[in-house]
Amino acid sequence: MSARAFSKSLKELRIHFSQNSPASRGLRDFIIKTYPDLKKANPGLPILIREAAGIESRIIARFDQGRERKVVVDNFNVGDVEQKFNTLVSEAN
């Protein structure tokens, strides 16, 4: 994934996953691979990463006017997580 600057209507990204659950592996690997470039391309965008045992893997985007959208990515591989992530952030346009 090439990091790109997101639309200004995307206000926040929250990423939740389990530290050691196999169901969270794809999301963990996606974050390890893409976080530095995402943050570099979007330095003012809050990207909050929360780890907790036993929770579902999910990505939550907050847009203008308080609108939020959540995608659950339990048991997804890195490619599937990336596809869902790109679909989610493209909703800001």
Side-chain angles (χ1 to χ4, degrees):
M1 173 183 173
S2 61
R4 66 184 194 283
F6 300 128
S7 167
K8 296 288 185 198
S9 65
L10 179 62
K11 299 300 183 186
E12 178 184 83
L13 284 171
R14 292 190 309 270
I15 299 161
H16 301 171
F17 58 88
S18 175
Q19 305 97 312
N20 48 19
S21 169
S24 292
R25 183 151 192 75
L27 183 54
R28 282 193 310 268
D29 291 347
F30 173 77
I31 293 303
I32 289 168
K33 179 177 116 178
T34 61
Y35 179 82
D37 292 334
L38 286 175
K39 198 58 185 170
K40 196 177 293 183
N42 301 279
L45 177 68
I47 301 174
L48 311 172
I49 299 172
R50 302 287 184 253
E51 297 176 312
I55 64 168
E56 70 182 356
S57 301
R58 59 187 171 226
I59 305 167
I60 304 158
R62 186 171 55 83
F63 302 98
D64 276 342
Q65 302 170 354
R67 186 173 58 93
E68 286 192 359
R69 175 96 158 74
K70 173 181 88 168
V71 294
V72 176
V73 292
D74 263 350
N75 296 308
F76 283 33
N77 64 36
V78 175
D80 293 338
V81 171
E82 184 173 340
Q83 182 181 7
K84 286 289 190 178
F85 177 83
N86 287 335
T87 301
L88 180 64
V89 298
S90 69
E91 291 182 21
N93 296 331

